[in-house]
Amino acid sequence: METAIANATDIKATPGAEMISGGQIVAKMLKQEGIRHIFTISGGHIVDIYNGCIDEGIEIIDVRHEQVAAHAADAYARITGLGCAVVTAGPGTTDAVTGMANAFRAESPMLLIGGNSPLKQYRMGGLQELRHTEMMTPISKFASLVMTTDRVAEMMGIAFREMYNGAPGPGFLEIPHDIMDGKVEAPKVRYPKNFRVRGAEAGPPDFLGDPHIVDEVADLLARAERPVALFGTQARTCRAHDSIDRFARHFNLPIYVNGAARGTLGRSHSHGFMQSRKTAFDNADVILLAGTPLDFRMGYGRRLNPKAKIVIMDMDYRNVGNNRDFDFGLVGNLRTIVNAMCEASSGDTANKHDPFLRMLREDEERS
């Protein structure tokens, strides 16, 4: 293994050159991405990250169990747009599995960094040695072993890029002890900067989907008698609150929410509904589903009116058409798409959707 992968500490350094460790590189990349806190519980495999965080002014939140670290990083990610947990090898990383799985299902961009025994001791029975990457692959958007110290920053850039590709999600990096503590010449380290496409205000980038389909759906909503829309977690991911408010009023249609989209419209909003969802879906002639999978909560798409036109919009192409065929499908930023629909159509100028809204409001009052 040593002949195949030379550790950074084995590379002859220039005499007098400033050196930097893998843990310090990790901290610099975290700071560059805007991380101000990490959630962790101390372990020998990951101590060097702490040194780097102290140098970079990143606060170390010491918890009592790795489960807490992972769930806290997930929550931090949902609020700020990126969270990070750092856990030690073996049981430290396996304890974080549930937090990673939760973040994966919630489309939460948290980075989990796990230590491991030295790469030089691969399959020799090192302290708490496990193949963490294989465990994390099914419950993350990206999982990888970091094999050399000089590639730590590059691998973090790859992880961040994959975590934000389409719908966001968690990433995992396994950094062995000798890679973490290994040192390279500081001036030679390349820190990726413009390595992923970013949107305004730290949100996802604007991407529209097919503009012709956007126009068709806008026209369909305006002409429908009983249109209804359901927005899921990606409404929050896309910072689409104001756009959904505009969309609801423009097309004069009822809005339902689930997941992290709860709170998108206030309780007293004229177009915000909750208890009447079944009535709406049973009677709608157009159903728009945005940023929510057709999973168990939606009866896998089987509870929708079979006569209704189905429109599915999502940041992840894998959710468009899963469990239920659609009439119109769009992959893109929900905020961008609904704003474009408002521009493409004059909306419900005749208020012909009012009878449907009244029916649903009466149904809610009876609930």
Side-chain angles (χ1 to χ4, degrees):
M1 197 67 184
E2 290 179 273
T3 56
I5 304 168
N7 181 37
T9 53
D10 298 328
I11 299 173
K12 189 173 292 185
T14 304
E18 178 188 358
M19 306 298 287
I20 188 170
S21 70
Q24 290 172 307
I25 294 171
V26 168
K28 286 183 179 293
M29 282 295 292
L30 291 177
K31 182 178 181 180
Q32 179 178 290
E33 288 300 298
I35 286 287
R36 299 195 301 263
H37 306 82
I38 64 166
F39 300 90
T40 187
I41 182 168
S42 182
H45 300 83
I46 54 175
V47 166
D48 200 60
I49 290 182
Y50 301 157
N51 296 328
C53 286
I54 292 170
D55 292 342
E56 300 300 326
I58 297 173
E59 188 173 352
I60 300 167
I61 308 298
D62 184 25
V63 299
R64 291 293 178 265
H65 198 286
E66 287 85 3
Q67 287 181 342
V68 177
H71 286 298
D74 173 16
Y76 191 93
R78 298 189 200 195
I79 295 169
T80 68
L82 177 62
C84 179
V86 179
V87 294
T88 197
T93 299
T94 59
D95 281 343
V97 165
T98 300
M100 280 290 284
N102 200 54
F104 184 65
R105 288 299 301 268
E107 299 182 351
S108 177
M110 64 164 281
L111 175 66
L112 179 68
I113 298 174
N116 208 344
S117 58
L119 195 58
K120 286 183 174 183
Q121 296 171 6
Y122 181 72
R123 294 190 181 277
M124 292 177 65
L127 176 65
Q128 298 175 194
E129 178 185 4
L130 282 175
R131 302 274 59 81
H132 308 115
T133 301
E134 287 88 337
M135 296 179 194
M136 294 296 179
T137 296
I139 53 172
S140 64
K141 292 199 68 179
F142 178 81
S144 180
L145 171 68
V146 180
M147 302 186 74
T148 61
T149 304
D150 58 339
R151 293 194 66 198
V152 167
E154 175 194 353
M155 293 302 296
M156 290 186 71
I158 294 172
F160 288 134
R161 184 165 59 246
E162 291 297 327
M163 286 163 58
Y164 289 99
N165 176 29
F172 173 74
L173 287 176
E174 176 181 329
I175 309 181
H177 199 176
D178 49 353
I179 306 305
M180 188 80 74
D181 290 354
K183 294 188 176 182
V184 294
E185 294 183 39
K188 294 183 179 179
V189 177
R190 186 185 77 85
Y191 296 94
K193 288 185 170 56
N194 294 321
F195 58 87
R196 65 180 178 91
V197 179
R198 305 168 193 260
E201 300 178 0
D206 289 342
F207 59 114
L208 180 61
D210 190 321
H212 299 293
I213 297 178
V214 169
D215 292 347
E216 288 185 65
V217 173
D219 183 59
L220 177 68
L221 292 172
R223 289 187 295 103
E225 296 292 332
R226 299 176 303 280
V228 60
L230 171 68
F231 286 86
T233 291
Q234 290 176 17
R236 188 187 188 286
T237 304
C238 296
R239 278 69 167 174
H241 302 71
D242 292 340
S243 300
I244 293 171
D245 173 62
R246 176 193 180 194
F247 174 76
R249 298 179 190 277
H250 187 80
F251 287 99
N252 192 31
L253 80 173
I255 302 292
Y256 296 85
V257 294
N258 67 14
R262 293 184 178 92
T264 296
L265 302 179
R267 288 181 178 271
S268 60
H269 195 284
S270 58
H271 293 76
F273 293 80
M274 186 168 61
Q275 296 98 327
S276 58
R277 191 172 82 174
K278 183 180 186 303
T279 301
F281 284 173
D282 285 347
N283 291 276
D285 56 357
V286 176
I287 300 174
L288 184 147
L289 304 167
T292 183
L294 287 175
D295 57 14
F296 69 96
R297 296 169 297 176
M298 299 294 297
Y300 310 101
R302 297 164 196 161
R303 296 177 188 161
L304 307 178
N305 183 352
K307 297 179 181 179
K309 295 287 186 181
I310 305 299
V311 180
I312 301 179
M313 303 174 357
D314 205 279
M315 298 174 71
D316 188 340
Y317 75 92
R318 291 171 296 184
N319 289 331
V320 180
N322 188 40
N323 291 332
R324 172 70 187 250
D325 290 348
F326 57 84
D327 295 283
F328 298 92
L330 287 163
V331 177
N333 182 315
L334 305 190
R335 183 189 68 249
T336 311
I337 293 174
V338 297
N339 281 334
M341 287 181 182
C342 291
E343 296 298 327
S345 167
S346 57
D348 181 23
T349 55
N351 296 320
K352 66 178 181 178
H353 300 157
D354 281 356
F356 188 46
L357 290 168
R358 283 196 297 270
M359 183 188 81
L360 297 176
R361 191 61 69 193
E362 290 169 1
D363 187 72
E364 298 234 329
E365 291 171 355
R366 289 192 295 269
S367 298

